[in-house]
Amino acid sequence: MSTFQARVDRPKLDGLQAGRAVAALLVVAFHINVFILPDRLYDGDRAGAVFNMGYAGVEFFFVLSGFIMYHIHAKDFGVSTRAWTFFKRRIQRIYPIYWFILIGLLGLYAVTGSGPDNKFEPLAILTSLLLIPTPDFPIMRVAWTLEHEMLFYILFLSLIVNKRIGFIVFAVWMIGSVLIPLMGIKFFPLNFLFADYNLLFLFGMIVAWGYRFLSVPARMPIFMIGLSIYLGTGFSEALFQVDWTHCWRTWAYGIGAAMITAALAREVLTVPKWLVFLGDASYSIYLAHLPAMGVFVVVLAEFGGPWSLSPQVSGLLMMILAVLSGCLIYLCVERPLMRYSGSKS
């Protein structure tokens, strides 16, 4: 997903790369705590309820994606000659590394016999390869977010082809993405085309348009308020069992993420280079972490694991493994593919 791996201007927006890294780690922690530990290792035990909010890394990614697309391509609005270049670069950034990991995953399923029931169905393989949305999850389950990304790119493309028509199309899309979730309409394809997640892209675009107006003294208060909204939403559900309506929860995360993004874009924090690097590698980490942890669990079982390790220790070890695996794929596969294609954003 471009939101995971698009490299933004340096050094000005290093904070956003760090934010991307943290969002990827949140998603990894969520999958470890909700799926790997209780289902594969500890018969229901988890590392801690606090990690249950890690799925919200996706909401942060969508806000960042909207920010980056507007930040880089707002100058292209209404310049139809740049439409193909924009779309070609999006294809180059999303698909090659995704195909590499998906094909490897299919090979792993063939050897182990694991995986979803539709893993070898020709139609499921085709729709998964092309990221064509269906009522079911794609074979690589985390790729559902990429389907939303591709929809966003297509609608964003309309702004480049014709600014006026694109604005109307985009406005209708956003209005529908508010009304359809509020009306509780959940049948496909309307629940995909007008998902509540779509509004997060608009939040990011608004921030990209206006973050320069954020004064230096206001940066830290905005950051802290945004962080409070973001974490407060997650903790209220994970720790205090607040029963959010999905759309309101998604938009609350989006508001918090938008405020954090604005502050980070205004350099509210100085971030270490290793965290910026993890931001660069976050797309590979996102795609590779579940397959890597699946292999780790099998190997662990062969040696009698997890022995007497606590869920917290095992979870930390799997987090380290997932991050290292993603970084290795980034260095050895994704970055060379980026250089070969000439894609930079």
Side-chain angles (χ1 to χ4, degrees), residues 10-306:
R10 297 285 169 78
K12 187 175 183 180
L13 300 181
D14 275 357
L16 295 187
Q17 288 299 91
R20 193 192 319 278
V22 173
L25 295 179
L26 282 174
V27 174
V28 176
F30 171 75
H31 286 144
I32 290 172
N33 195 57
V34 174
F35 298 112
I36 302 297
L37 293 179
D39 294 344
R40 304 288 297 276
L41 292 177
Y42 288 97
D43 192 24
D45 289 342
R46 302 184 179 189
V50 67
F51 299 111
N52 291 349
M53 69 154 291
Y55 65 84
V58 169
E59 278 82 348
F60 200 92
F61 282 136
F62 285 158
V63 171
L64 282 177
S65 185
F67 179 98
I68 292 167
M69 289 302 99
Y70 187 94
H71 179 75
I72 296 175
H73 296 288
K75 64 182 181 300
D76 298 333
F77 287 177
V79 186
S80 60
T81 55
R82 297 179 182 174
W84 170 243
T85 299
F86 166 81
F87 197 67
K88 180 179 70 173
R89 287 180 177 173
R90 304 276 58 79
I91 296 296
Q92 290 171 338
R93 296 300 286 119
I94 292 292
Y95 283 95
I97 184 61
Y98 166 66
W99 284 337
F100 175 85
I101 296 177
L102 175 60
I103 291 170
L105 185 62
L106 289 171
L108 182 64
Y109 288 159
V111 171
T112 63
S114 60
D117 294 337
N118 65 346
K119 57 184 175 292
F120 297 132
E121 293 178 6
L123 182 59
I125 293 174
L126 179 62
T127 55
S128 293
L129 283 169
L130 298 180
L131 294 173
I132 297 173
T134 69
D136 301 317
F137 279 103
I139 292 174
M140 183 188 293
R141 296 305 174 92
V142 299
W144 70 268
T145 60
L146 304 186
E147 295 173 351
H148 285 280
E149 281 283 336
M150 291 307 301
L151 177 63
F152 169 54
Y153 295 155
I154 291 170
L155 273 295
F156 192 91
L157 180 66
S158 69
L159 292 165
I160 298 176
V161 173
N162 186 295
K163 188 175 182 178
R164 180 174 298 177
I165 294 176
F167 178 82
I168 295 172
V169 169
F170 208 87
V172 169
W173 186 45
M174 288 295 107
I175 293 170
S177 297
V178 173
L179 295 180
I180 295 298
L182 288 178
M183 294 167 63
I185 297 175
K186 298 181 179 180
F187 59 85
F188 185 85
L190 282 182
N191 63 340
F192 171 79
L193 294 173
F194 299 104
D196 46 23
Y197 292 111
N198 298 332
L199 204 62
L200 304 181
F201 298 116
L202 178 62
F203 289 171
M205 292 172 66
I206 292 172
V207 171
W209 169 80
Y211 80 96
R212 294 178 181 85
F213 299 111
L214 182 63
S215 66
V216 171
R219 295 180 306 176
M220 186 55 71
I222 290 294
F223 178 79
M224 295 306 299
I225 294 171
L227 188 63
S228 298
I229 294 172
Y230 187 82
L231 294 179
T233 302
F235 291 161
S236 70
E237 182 180 49
L239 300 180
F240 304 107
Q241 289 75 54
V242 174
D243 187 16
W244 286 81
T245 301
H246 189 278
C247 59
W248 291 114
R249 185 192 71 183
T250 297
W251 298 334
Y253 279 130
I255 292 170
M259 297 177 75
I260 294 170
T261 298
L264 290 176
R266 288 288 286 155
E267 302 176 89
V268 68
L269 299 175
T270 300
V271 297
K273 293 301 180 183
W274 63 267
L275 197 56
V276 175
F277 171 78
L278 289 184
D280 293 342
S282 57
Y283 186 39
S284 289
I285 293 171
Y286 179 79
L287 293 177
H289 72 277
L290 278 176
M293 291 189 296
V295 171
F296 177 71
V297 167
V298 172
V299 173
L300 199 64
E302 286 294 319
F303 289 91

